[in-house]
Amino acid sequence: MNRNQYDGDITTWSPQGRIYQIEYAMEAVKQGSTCVGVRSSTHAVLATIKRTPGDLAGYQKKIIEIDDHMGVAISGLTSDARVLSNYMRNECLSHKYVYDSSMLVGRLVRRVADKSQVHTQRYGRRPYGVGLLVIGYDSNGAHLYETCPSGNYFDYYAQAIGSRSQSSKTYLEKKYKEFESASLDDLVRHALFALRESTGDKADGMTMENTSIAIVGENQPFKLIDGEETAQYLSKIDGDAMET
């Protein structure tokens, strides 16, 4: 995107009714590595591709645990994601301290969206340049939400964000009707197949080092699967002839 006279601050509207700084923040989400989320009636799953700045650096964390029943995958600016995830953790702790119960997933997502929206209308601030896929399980069942820098949030059966996420979305659009009654293992397989679509089916596109998985659901606290633990899941999709 090229600079113009209407993108100097967040309070300036263009004649076409656009706020360019919000669009720039949305573009930052599109530049992040791919994150995929799927859910059934009882479980929710995240799958992500991690990036590394170079051969001498480790991979950046893409999935963050918020509480025993909730976690997020991030696409965009990691520093902004750290701020939002810390806010979400504090909200969960405060709720548990006051009410002695876990916070509803939808309620927390709305608070994050409200916090993001404030940064789209007050002078001297900028929108958060990160998108979140939030999974969780509460008394209302399993949930998958997406939050945006604009302050919007959406409830999904399945969703993908980040670079080349359209390929993953195409797979999810073909398969999402199977998710509601799918088992946890099937959900993980579908999430990994959708994630693999974003890599262009490269043989080295998904490895133990750069793939992260997270699961949560009924009688299943939030669990992050990383490193060597992902090998058993990746081996199941290697050579699998599932139709896409």
Side-chain angles (χ1 to χ4, degrees), residues 36-56:
V36 173
V38 297
R39 74 164 177 88
S40 67
S41 58
T42 57
H43 292 85
V45 174
L46 292 172
T48 66
I49 293 286
K50 296 182 289 185
R51 285 178 177 169
T52 176
D55 294 338
L56 301 180

Side-chain angles (χ1 to χ4, degrees), residues 6 18 25 37 42 85 113 131 140 143 156 169 198 201 222-223 228 231 238 240:
Y6 301 108
R18 299 162 65 180
T42 57
S85 62
N140 296 321
H143 301 279
Y156 282 100
K169 288 180 183 178
S198 70
D201 286 330
F222 183 86
K223 180 182 179 182
E228 294 182 358
D238 287 342
D240 196 311

Side-chain angles (χ1 to χ4, degrees), residues 121-134:
Q121 72 176 72
R122 292 187 179 176
Y123 182 81
R125 300 188 181 187
R126 65 161 176 80
Y128 291 108
V130 66
L132 305 179
L133 286 183
V134 185

Side-chain angles (χ1 to χ4, degrees), residues 89-223:
R89 285 174 170 171
N90 288 333
E91 288 295 302
C92 285
L93 286 172
S94 298
H95 188 278
K96 190 170 291 186
Y97 178 78
V98 174
Y99 299 105
D100 195 27
S101 63
S102 298
M103 194 171 194
L104 294 176
V105 181
R107 182 177 297 172
L108 180 58
V109 169
R110 283 192 295 274
R111 291 188 183 181
V112 172
D114 290 342
K115 183 177 177 67
S116 297
Q117 193 278 333
V118 169
H119 285 249
T120 69
Q121 72 176 72
R122 292 187 179 176
Y123 182 81
R125 300 188 181 187
R126 65 161 176 80
Y128 291 108
V130 66
L132 305 179
L133 286 183
V134 185
I135 62 168
Y137 184 86
D138 56 29
S139 56
N140 296 321
H143 301 279
L144 169 64
Y145 291 96
E146 178 193 1
T147 69
C148 302
S150 61
N152 288 326
Y153 69 95
F154 306 93
D155 188 3
Y156 282 100
Y157 294 108
Q159 173 63 335
I161 59 175
S163 61
R164 304 192 66 176
S165 60
Q166 186 55 52
S167 299
S168 298
K169 288 180 183 178
T170 301
Y171 174 88
L172 295 172
E173 287 167 358
K174 294 178 181 178
K175 300 290 185 178
Y176 79 95
K177 292 182 180 179
E178 304 174 14
F179 297 165
E180 188 70 14
S181 59
S183 66
L184 177 57
D185 285 343
D186 286 340
L187 273 183
V188 173
R189 288 175 64 250
H190 280 299
L192 291 176
F193 268 107
L195 189 63
R196 191 174 69 175
E197 291 295 314
S198 70
T199 67
D201 286 330
K202 295 179 182 177
D204 59 347
M206 293 170 59
T207 66
M208 291 186 297
E209 290 76 20
N210 71 0
T211 305
S212 291
I213 304 167
I215 58 176
V216 69
E218 187 176 17
N219 301 318
Q220 171 63 64
F222 183 86
K223 180 182 179 182

